[in-house]
Amino acid sequence: MNIYMTAGTFDFLKRMENMYPNEKMVTMINENGALLLHETMGKTKFNQPRRYEVFESVGEIKKEGLAVMNHVSVTDEGRPVFEHQCKGEAGNLKSTPGLMALRLLRPLSTNTYVFLTVWETEVYYQGWQNSTSFFKIDQNNIIGSQQKVFTSAPYVSKYSITE
């Protein structure tokens, strides 16, 4: 399974989503603009997307909720350790209240992974953030690693998913 993302205006991306009703596409928006996510086993309909391979998946991404994306740039040497750690965390998250979907995305053309979670509401996401099970992505979380794993500081982007 692959996920492709492209950015643009909400209206333009929503029209693109509506042009392909048989494709699994979701338009999201935040204060910086809009994003269209395309999840497929086939090829994307986008011209120049950000391309990812899904290496862990929980739930279904629906056309509602809060999407939170943790963007993490990882060195080539650090990829196996990082992926192993993330898979473990994904397993722990499966039964978290309010979590609708999770995708761990391996980049196909860059070094930036995306840890995508979709929540029923912001309240559920904040509840998880304040819990003891919250997975903070940082150098200290990579168990037993003596090597440099990250190439830059991780960052988070949040999007509202609405019809």
Side-chain angles (χ1 to χ4, degrees):
M1 179 74 66
N2 290 317
I3 284 187
Y4 302 95
M5 296 182 210
T6 192
T9 66
F10 181 80
D11 291 338
F12 175 78
L13 296 177
K14 200 63 171 170
R15 275 194 306 272
M16 181 179 276
E17 176 185 347
N18 292 333
M19 284 175 47
Y20 302 102
N22 296 327
E23 295 290 333
K24 190 169 186 179
M25 292 186 179
V26 176
T27 305
M28 357 183 136
I29 191 166
N30 70 12
E31 64 278 357
N32 297 317
L35 181 82
L36 182 56
L37 183 141
H38 182 202
E39 188 171 29
T40 181
M41 294 294 284
K43 294 184 178 188
T44 187
K45 305 297 182 187
F46 307 157
N47 289 331
Q48 294 182 341
R50 285 179 274 158
R51 304 172 321 129
Y52 301 91
E53 177 184 7
V54 177
F55 69 95
E56 192 71 25
S57 177
V58 173
E60 181 181 342
I61 299 174
K62 298 180 181 176
K63 297 185 186 227
E64 62 184 352
L66 171 74
V68 179
M69 297 182 200
N70 287 280
H71 305 263
V72 186
S73 295
V74 178
T75 63
D76 287 341
E77 305 81 37
R79 284 178 170 232
V81 173
F82 179 76
E83 288 186 18
H84 176 73
Q85 185 75 14
C86 284
K87 279 186 176 185
E89 291 302 325
N92 295 337
L93 266 173
K94 287 180 183 178
S95 61
T96 303
L99 180 73
M100 297 168 54
L102 175 141
R103 299 292 183 276
L104 299 181
L105 306 178
R106 179 184 297 123
L108 295 176
S109 55
T110 68
N111 66 344
T112 303
Y113 283 77
V114 176
F115 192 100
L116 167 65
T117 53
V118 180
W119 301 88
E120 289 178 26
T121 66
E122 174 87 24
V123 172
Y124 282 112
Y125 171 67
Q126 289 175 352
W128 172 66
Q129 266 192 313
N130 296 325
S131 74
T132 56
S133 65
F134 176 62
F135 176 54
K136 183 169 174 16
I137 298 173
D138 63 27
Q139 189 73 32
N140 298 325
N141 253 4
I142 306 301
I143 298 170
S145 176
Q146 300 302 314
Q147 63 190 7
K148 183 177 183 212
V149 174
F150 303 123
T151 60
S152 63
Y155 67 95
V156 175
S157 56
K158 296 179 186 177
Y159 293 87
S160 295
I161 303 172
T162 60
E163 273 298 315

